[in-house]
Amino acid sequence: MKALNEIEKEININKFVYKGENIWPIFRNAIGWEIALETNISNNKSSSNIKYNKFLLIKLFIKNIISMLLSLFNKYDVICFTTSDDYKYLHRNQVNRLTETFLNKYKNQKILEFQSGLFINKSEEERQYIPSFLFLILSNILSKIIRLNGASEIEKELKKVDIKINSKKILKKYLANKMLCDFMFKIYRPKLIITTCYSFMPIIKSANDLGIETLEFQHGSIINHFAYEIDEETNSTFYPRNLIVFGTKVVKYLKKKHYGKNIFAVGNMFVDYYSKKRNKSILELKKNYECIISISLQWTVLEKTIEYVRKQAKENKSICFILIPRTNDELNNYSFDEVNIKIFNNLNCYEIAANSDYHMTCYSTCAIEAPSL
């Protein structure tokens, strides 16, 4: 499949209009994600796991829907849209590695957090948590009854570059998400919407349209990432008004793009903390091995990465390889006979990387964080 920026040059993005508004950013993200999967995914195993997880949603939906309905009777000053992966341990307590310090200024105000993932990770700070899959189920139901009118031009443009995506499904999903957000925000009446990923676009769009302040925290690599590599100016209301990033290099990069208006470099609190922390268990391994290499894993290339590490471990027995899964259960289906392959599920990636001699990954954000550790 062609690169996203090449596709933008071959089609007329001004034709992506629905009910008088340019919605190209929605299709841009959908196409970019499709390209990323086609380029990086190593097998169908992870995709089948995603489908399997959907069977759990009904049970969890019934369990959590009451909390969501009760929340509608409250007003919240800040609403966060996060992922369970944002949470790491600090001083034996779970904290959101991106938003925690910032939210300290709102500790006396009411905070509601929608969190992606089947199970909720919670900070010690008092706030209301709602699993995002409730929102997902409701939007999927709503998308089934939405009827489109006047989307033929969009389909014509997509045919020019032979992009095999379900344009009607993408548009219906966006409209459903937007409608739900409009409804919720009018009831909750928040002053600020915080997100930790570019994928929360309908949420940002809804908040911007309603005049609510929007803020996104950088959660992964930005430079050359399709979601931020926006060379063609388009509808800016789909992007956050404020963007907090790790460093000045990212600021300079984004100033040349069309993602966000106000961009601030604030660093990374976890990098600062763990850069000085020493772990006895990992340091003890250095007595038996020449060096320690930690490897941050990604589900799209999990199989190939493990295959590569196992081969290296067998050929280099003087090197210890520490696998860092994104979730504690990611490696449950694997067994390792190689004594020089280790897993520390009780430690987070920052502590492991800080105590390793080298860090390796395919495209995890740890690639830009590890040098500072």
Side-chain angles (χ1 to χ4, degrees):
M1 190 178 287
K2 297 178 181 178
L4 185 52
N5 284 344
E6 291 179 3
I7 291 173
E8 285 184 300
K9 293 176 181 177
E10 295 182 19
I11 62 176
N12 185 353
I13 63 175
N14 293 320
K15 293 284 188 178
F16 285 76
V17 175
Y18 187 76
K19 293 189 175 180
E21 184 167 47
N22 189 298
I23 57 171
W24 168 242
I26 293 297
F27 285 91
R28 189 182 192 282
N29 265 15
I31 295 168
W33 181 240
E34 199 66 29
I35 294 172
L37 286 179
E38 185 177 285
T39 304
N40 296 312
I41 198 163
S42 59
N43 55 47
N44 293 323
K45 185 175 182 179
S46 296
S47 297
S48 62
N49 284 341
I50 293 173
K51 292 177 181 178
Y52 171 76
N53 287 338
K54 291 179 181 178
F55 290 105
L56 298 176
L57 295 182
I58 302 300
K59 177 181 178 180
L60 294 171
F61 178 83
I62 296 172
K63 181 181 178 181
N64 291 281
I65 188 62
I66 295 176
S67 295
M68 185 172 184
L69 292 174
L70 289 175
S71 74
L72 296 174
F73 293 94
N74 294 298
K75 177 184 179 298
Y76 293 93
D77 300 292
V78 180
I79 301 180
C80 304
F81 291 84
T82 68
T83 72
S84 57
D85 188 53
D86 295 338
Y87 280 77
K88 306 295 179 185
Y89 279 94
L90 186 67
H91 303 306
R92 297 183 180 180
N93 297 318
Q94 285 195 111
V95 299
N96 189 304
R97 64 187 176 91
L98 304 173
T99 65
E100 204 70 31
T101 302
F102 180 83
L103 287 176
N104 283 339
K105 65 183 291 187
Y106 296 97
K107 62 171 54 178
N108 295 323
Q109 301 184 48
K110 298 192 70 173
I111 300 174
L112 174 64
E113 180 170 332
F114 286 89
Q115 189 179 121
S116 298
L118 290 178
F119 304 100
I120 295 291
N121 290 324
K122 295 183 178 181
S123 166
E124 279 195 330
E125 298 297 329
E126 185 176 345
R127 66 189 68 149
Q128 175 78 25
Y129 290 90
I130 296 177
S132 290
F133 68 78
L134 293 177
F135 186 88
L136 177 66
I137 291 176
L138 292 173
S139 67
N140 281 341
I141 294 172
L142 184 57
S143 68
K144 304 295 183 184
I145 60 176
I146 289 177
R147 294 291 177 264
L148 299 178
N149 181 25
S152 58
E153 287 297 320
I154 293 175
E155 293 186 28
K156 287 180 182 179
E157 288 301 314
L158 291 174
K159 287 180 180 179
K160 289 182 180 179
V161 284
D162 192 29
I163 298 175
K164 294 180 175 59
I165 59 172
N166 190 331
S167 60
K168 291 182 179 179
K169 183 178 180 180
I170 291 170
L171 182 52
K172 285 184 176 183
K173 183 178 178 181
Y174 158 67
L175 293 173
N177 286 333
K178 176 71 161 50
M179 289 171 65
L180 279 177
C181 287
D182 289 347
F183 172 75
M184 288 195 310
F185 293 163
K186 287 175 182 178
I187 292 177
Y188 292 140
R189 291 174 292 161
K191 301 173 185 175
L192 174 65
I193 299 296
I194 295 175
T195 64
T196 60
C197 184
Y198 65 87
S199 60
F200 296 114
M201 186 173 280
I203 294 161
I204 292 292
K205 171 62 175 168
S206 174
N208 283 338
D209 285 354
L210 294 173
I212 304 168
E213 200 65 43
T214 51
L215 170 65
E216 177 185 331
F217 280 82
Q218 176 184 357
H219 83 288
S221 179
I222 281 182
I223 296 177
N224 296 326
H225 189 289
F226 74 83
Y228 304 93
E229 183 79 1
I230 305 173
D231 294 325
E232 301 290 331
E233 189 170 2
T234 183
N235 191 341
S236 63
T237 60
F238 282 91
Y239 303 106
R241 291 195 182 99
N242 305 285
L243 181 61
I244 289 180
V245 299
F246 296 152
T248 55
K249 184 177 180 180
V250 178
V251 174
K252 292 178 182 178
Y253 169 81
L254 287 173
K255 289 291 185 183
K256 301 176 183 177
K257 304 300 175 181
H258 299 280
Y259 193 102
K261 294 181 179 179
N262 306 304
I263 307 164
F264 309 94
V266 300
N268 185 312
M269 71 168 184
F270 266 72
V271 170
D272 291 340
Y273 175 78
Y274 282 107
S275 63
K276 300 178 180 64
K277 188 173 179 61
R278 296 293 169 257
N279 183 276
K280 292 182 179 179
S281 298
I282 297 178
L283 294 177
E284 194 67 24
L285 289 173
K286 293 187 177 183
K287 296 179 180 179
N288 302 316
Y289 296 98
E290 290 182 5
C291 71
I292 308 291
I293 300 177
S294 56
I295 303 100
S296 299
L297 302 172
Q298 296 83 41
W299 66 269
T300 52
V301 288
L302 183 63
E303 194 76 26
K304 287 186 177 179
T305 304
I306 290 177
E307 181 183 340
Y308 173 78
V309 172
R310 299 189 87 151
K311 179 181 178 182
Q312 293 301 319
K314 290 175 181 177
E315 296 178 359
N316 301 278
K317 298 186 183 299
S318 62
I319 298 176
C320 179
F321 299 85
I322 303 179
L323 298 178
I324 309 176
R326 290 182 67 87
T327 59
N328 287 344
D329 60 352
E330 189 171 51
L331 298 177
N332 284 355
N333 295 328
Y334 294 90
S335 59
F336 298 94
D337 299 325
E338 300 83 356
V339 295
N340 57 333
I341 293 182
K342 309 291 184 182
I343 302 169
F344 292 91
N345 275 337
N346 60 322
L347 303 178
N348 68 54
C349 59
Y350 298 98
E351 186 169 355
I352 295 173
N355 288 272
S356 302
D357 296 300
Y358 300 95
H359 174 266
M360 183 177 81
T361 187
C362 288
Y363 53 83
S364 168
T365 315
C366 292
I368 59 178
E369 295 170 324
S372 298
L373 293 165

